[in-house]
C-alpha cells in the first residue's frame, strides 16, 4: 500500500514532471472510448479509458485527488496499446503521458522485497545484457530438448501454474542452441544487385527465442537487394523498462543503441518487432532534455523503419511470392507498429501479393490482442478477456494462418489458438516467416519486368 509520504512525493513530482499542456490538450470528447480495450472489457468504466486516465493524471497535478491505489490501478490496467492516439482529434500523446506517470509512481513507491528482487533481476541484470539473455534462452532450449519438458508435462507438475501460463509454456517456440545464438554473422551481402545498405536491430528476445524469424528477416532483406550490417554492441531497445516505470534505465539503453548504430552510415535502421520499433522511434522524445543526446537521437529516429516498409519500397511484393498450398490468411496488427510507427498498409500489401494466399481482413484487426509486453502475465484476467474477443473475430475469417509482426502478439495468438482448441487447424506466424516461406517455394521472378 502506498504511504501518505509516498503519495505526497508522487504528487509533487506529478506537478513538476507531467506535461500540463499535453494534459490540457484532451478535450474530453470521447472519440478514444470505442478504441480502448480496457474500457470496453471493464464494462465501460470511465476510469479505465484514456480520457478517464488523463482526467486522473490532471486531478493529481491539480491537487484535487491523491495518487492513491485507485489511480495506480487505473494506470496499471492500461495496455499501452495507444489505439487512442490515431483517433484523437487533438493529437494527445497519451503514451508519453502514461509512461511518465508510471515512472513517477514506480520511482517513489517502496516495493516489497520480492518485487524489488524480480524488478532488479529483469530490468538490470537480464535484459540489458545480451549474453545473459542467450544463457537464459539456452536454458529454456535445454529444458525443451533434454526430455525434461516431456517429463514435467507427463507428471502434471505444470498444474501448479495458472491455466494461461500452462498454455503459454506449451506455445513457446523451439529455442535454438546456445552455439547458434552466439555465432551470428555481422555482415550479410545483398543477393543480387545492392540497392540499400541497412543496419539491423536484432533485439534481445528476437535474437534468442525468435532467432529463426530474425534469420528470415535478414534473408528477405538480402533478396530485396540490401547489404546488411548487424552491430554486435547493440542492446535491448528499452521498451520493457520504459513501459514499467524504469525510464532512466531505458535512457541508458537508448544511448547504447544510438552509439552502436550512428557510425555505420546505413540508409536505414531496420526492426522487425513492432514493440521494439515503437520505443526506438521515440528515442528523440525520451532524450529530448539531454543536450548531448537529443540531436543524435533525432538522427537515429529518422533512419528507423520496419522491415515491411523497406520491402515494399524495394518492390518485393512484385517478386513472384507463392505458397505451395493455397490458404486463407488474415493479419493481426501489432498495436505499436500501427499506432506508433504508422505502418499498416505495407504488411497487407505484401500479404496480398502472395499467390495461393486468400487474404481476408479481420474485423477490428487494429485492436489489441492483449499481449502488451508482460501484460498477459501481470494482468492475466483482462488480457484473456481481450484475447477471447480477438479470437472471435479471427475465427470469423475462417483463416488457416494468422499473421502478425511482433513476438508478443505472435505468442498471444498462439495462446488463443490453443485456448480455442484450434491447434493443428490454424497456425500463427510472423510476417517475415510467411514471406520467406512464399519466397522460397520456387525461384523468384520479378513480375515488375513484365507487362
Amino acid at each position: 500500500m502506498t504511504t501518505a509520504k509516498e503519495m505526497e512525493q508522487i504528487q509533487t513530482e506529478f506537478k513538476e514532471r507531467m506535461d500540463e499542456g499535453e494534459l490540457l490538450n484532451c478535450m474530453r470528447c470521447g472519440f478514444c472510448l470505442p478504441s480502448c480495450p480496457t474500457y470496453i472489457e471493464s464494462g465501460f468504466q470511465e476510469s479505465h479509458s484514456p480520457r478517464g486516465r488523463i482526467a486522473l493524471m490532471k486531478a493529481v497535478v491539480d491537487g484535487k485527488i491523491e495518487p492513491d491505489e485507485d489511480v495506480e490501478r487505473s494506470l496499471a490496467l492500461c495496455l499501452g496499446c495507444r489505439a487512442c492516439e490515431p483517433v484523437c482529434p487533438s493529437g494527445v500523446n497519451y503514451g508519453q503521458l502514461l509512461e511518465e506517470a508510471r515512472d513517477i509512481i514506480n520511482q517513489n513507491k517502496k516495493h516489497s522485497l520480492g518485487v524489488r528482487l524480480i524488478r532488479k533481476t529483469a530490468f538490470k541484470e537480464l535484459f540489458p545484457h545480451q549474453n545473459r539473455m542467450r544463457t537464459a534462452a539456452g536454458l529454456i532450449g535445454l529444458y525443451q530438448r533434454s526430455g525434461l519438458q516431456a517429463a514435467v508435462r507427463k507428471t502434471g507438475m505444470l498444474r501448479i501454474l495458472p491455466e494461461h501460463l500452462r498454455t503459454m509454456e506449451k506455445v513457446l517456440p523451439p529455442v535454438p542452441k546456445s552455439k547458434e545464438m552466439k555465432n551470428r554473422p555481422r555482415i550479410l551481402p545483398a543477393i543480387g544487385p545492392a540497392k540499400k545498405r541497412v543496419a539491423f536491430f536484432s533485439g534481445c528476445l528476437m535474437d534468442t527465442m525468435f532467432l529463426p524469424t530474425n534469420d528470415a528477416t535478414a534473408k528477405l532483406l538480402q533478396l530485396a537487394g540490401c547489404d546488411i550490417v548487424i552491430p554486435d554492441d547493440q542492446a535491448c531497445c528499452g521498451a520493457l523498462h520504459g513501459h514499467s516505470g524504469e525510464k532512466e534505465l531505458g535512457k541508458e539503453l537508448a544511448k547504447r543503441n544510438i552509439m552502436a548504430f550512428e557510425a555505420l552510415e546505413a540508409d536505414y535502421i531496420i526492426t522487425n518487432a513492432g514493440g521494439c520499433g515503437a520505443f526506438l522511434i521515440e528515442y528523440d522524445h525520451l532524450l529530448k532534455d539531454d543536450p548531448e543526446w537529443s540531436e543524435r537521437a533525432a538522427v537515429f529516429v529518422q533512419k528507423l523503419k520496419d522491415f515491411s516498409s523497406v520491402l515494399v519500397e524495394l518492390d518485393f511484393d512484385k517478386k513472384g511470392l507463392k505458397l505451395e498450398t493455397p490458404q486463407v490468411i488474415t493479419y493481426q496488427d501489432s498495436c505499436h507498429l500501427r499506432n506508433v510507427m504508422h505502418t499498416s498498409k505495407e504488411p497487407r500489401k505484401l500479404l496480398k501479393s502472395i499467390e495461393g494466399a486468400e487474404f481476408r481482413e479481420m474485423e477490428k484487426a487494429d485492436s489489441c490482442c492483449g499481449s502488451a509486453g508482460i501484460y498477459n502475465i501481470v494482468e492475466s484476467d483482462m488480457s484473456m478477456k481481450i484475447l477471447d474477443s480477438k479470437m472471435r473475430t479471427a475465427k470469423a475469417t475462417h483463416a488457416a494462418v494468422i499473421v502478425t509482426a511482433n513476438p508478443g502478439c505472435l505468442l498471444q495468438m498462439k495462446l488463443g489458438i490453443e485456448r480455442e482448441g484450434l491447434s493443428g487447424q490454424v497456425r500463427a506466424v510472423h510476417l517475415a516467416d510467411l514471406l520467406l516461406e512464399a519466397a522460397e517455394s520456387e525461384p523468384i521472378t520479378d513480375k515488375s519486368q513484365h507487362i
Side-chain angles (χ1 to χ4, degrees):
M1 181 175 291
T2 308
T3 66
K5 186 176 181 180
E6 289 170 345
M7 284 196 287
E8 183 180 351
Q9 182 59 35
I10 290 170
Q11 194 146 31
T12 298
E13 292 204 21
F14 259 69
K15 292 177 181 178
E16 294 174 350
R17 291 173 52 182
M18 294 300 293
D19 187 335
E20 192 164 7
E22 197 69 68
L23 290 170
L24 288 170
N25 278 342
C26 178
M27 301 185 301
R28 313 290 190 265
C29 65
F31 278 30
C32 59
L33 300 183
S35 69
C36 179
T38 55
Y39 174 71
I40 295 168
E41 296 297 340
S42 67
F44 309 109
Q45 290 188 41
E46 183 70 19
S47 62
H48 294 328
S49 73
R51 179 176 69 179
R53 292 181 176 110
I54 290 174
L56 290 174
M57 295 179 210
K58 183 67 167 62
V60 173
V61 169
D62 293 341
K64 293 181 178 179
I65 63 172
E66 292 183 331
D68 57 17
E69 300 295 328
D70 290 338
V71 172
E72 184 178 352
R73 180 66 188 141
S74 173
L75 299 179
L77 197 62
C78 180
L79 291 145
C81 68
R82 299 174 70 165
C84 51
E85 292 185 10
V87 299
C88 178
S90 300
V92 176
N93 291 307
Y94 171 80
Q96 295 170 5
L97 291 172
L98 177 69
E99 287 184 2
E100 192 72 13
R102 283 177 170 174
D103 188 64
I104 293 169
I105 292 171
N106 178 67
Q107 295 305 320
N108 291 285
K109 180 178 179 179
K110 187 175 181 180
H111 296 289
S112 67
L113 178 61
V115 171
R116 290 203 303 273
L117 287 173
I118 292 171
R119 292 182 71 91
K120 181 181 179 182
T121 300
F123 296 134
K124 293 184 179 180
E125 306 299 335
L126 182 59
F127 279 90
H129 307 282
Q130 190 61 7
N131 60 328
R132 296 176 189 174
M133 288 293 294
R134 284 193 291 265
T135 299
L139 291 174
I140 296 174
L142 184 62
Y143 164 75
Q144 292 173 331
R145 293 188 299 272
S146 65
L148 181 59
Q149 183 180 52
V152 167
R153 290 177 177 177
K154 187 175 181 179
T155 59
M157 291 174 61
L158 291 174
R159 284 197 294 269
I160 64 173
L161 297 175
E163 185 268 340
H164 75 284
L165 289 182
R166 294 199 302 272
T167 309
M168 198 172 292
E169 185 270 350
K170 191 175 182 179
V171 302
L172 286 176
V175 178
K177 296 179 180 178
S178 296
K179 185 177 181 180
E180 296 176 59
M181 291 187 277
K182 290 177 182 178
N183 298 333
R184 306 287 288 127
R186 297 301 169 190
I187 303 291
L188 296 168
I191 297 173
K195 302 174 184 177
K196 296 287 182 182
R197 173 179 166 83
V198 303
F200 184 55
F201 181 82
S202 51
C204 46
L205 281 176
M206 288 301 299
D207 218 40
T208 50
M209 291 184 68
F210 296 91
L211 181 61
T213 298
N214 266 4
D215 290 342
T217 305
K219 183 69 174 293
L220 291 168
L221 291 168
Q222 287 178 283
L223 290 169
C226 293
D227 287 331
I228 306 170
V229 58
I230 307 175
D232 57 8
D233 50 351
Q234 62 180 293
C236 167
C237 67
L240 184 61
H241 302 77
H243 301 330
S244 304
E246 296 287 351
K247 193 173 181 180
E248 290 305 313
L249 289 174
K251 288 181 179 180
E252 291 177 19
L253 292 168
K255 292 173 183 178
R256 284 174 58 184
N257 283 321
I258 291 168
M259 284 192 293
F261 283 89
E262 63 186 354
L264 298 179
E265 298 182 355
D267 297 311
Y268 302 127
I269 298 170
I270 307 297
T271 180
N272 64 352
C276 295
F279 198 74
L280 293 167
I281 208 165
E282 292 195 333
Y283 275 1
D284 54 346
H285 173 77
L286 185 68
L287 299 170
K288 63 182 175 62
D289 297 323
D290 191 323
E292 181 185 351
W293 289 93
S294 58
E295 289 187 14
R296 295 165 74 177
V299 173
F300 178 95
V301 165
Q302 287 169 5
K303 290 188 174 184
L304 193 75
K305 282 183 177 286
D306 182 70
F307 82 103
S308 63
S309 297
V310 177
L311 292 181
V312 169
E313 180 181 332
L314 298 178
D315 293 328
F316 197 74
D317 55 303
K318 299 174 183 176
K319 291 286 189 179
L321 305 177
K322 181 179 180 180
L323 291 180
E324 293 182 359
T325 304
Q327 299 173 65
V328 177
I329 64 174
T330 192
Y331 180 66
Q332 164 61 27
D333 285 281
S334 155
C335 295
H336 286 140
L337 182 60
R338 183 184 184 104
N339 300 326
V340 185
M341 294 192 74
H342 307 298
T343 302
S344 60
K345 294 180 180 178
E346 294 89 341
R348 288 171 168 81
K349 186 172 185 178
L350 290 163
L351 291 173
K352 290 176 182 179
S353 74
I354 301 174
E355 185 180 347
E358 180 187 342
F359 182 82
R360 293 182 188 171
E361 188 69 54
M362 185 193 310
E363 183 183 359
K364 296 183 179 179
D366 57 345
S367 68
C368 188
C369 65
S371 171
I374 59 172
Y375 187 94
N376 56 2
I377 297 174
V378 299
E379 298 288 351
S380 60
D381 288 345
M382 179 60 74
S383 175
M384 293 304 102
K385 287 180 182 178
I386 293 168
L387 176 58
D388 289 343
S389 295
K390 176 60 61 179
M391 290 308 299
R392 284 194 290 272
T393 61
K395 287 193 297 182
T397 66
H398 301 287
V401 184
I402 302 173
V403 185
T404 189
N406 187 60
C409 303
L410 179 61
L411 287 181
Q412 186 80 338
M413 298 314 296
K414 288 186 175 184
L415 185 63
I417 289 169
E418 286 290 333
R419 283 168 60 87
E420 295 293 331
L422 296 173
S423 181
Q425 303 172 51
V426 180
R427 61 180 177 136
V429 298
H430 190 283
L431 175 63
D433 294 313
L434 187 69
L435 289 175
L436 187 62
E437 180 183 326
E440 293 186 333
S441 63
E442 62 179 26
I444 298 176
T445 57
D446 193 340
K447 293 191 289 188
S448 64
Q449 296 176 0
H450 304 282
I451 299 177

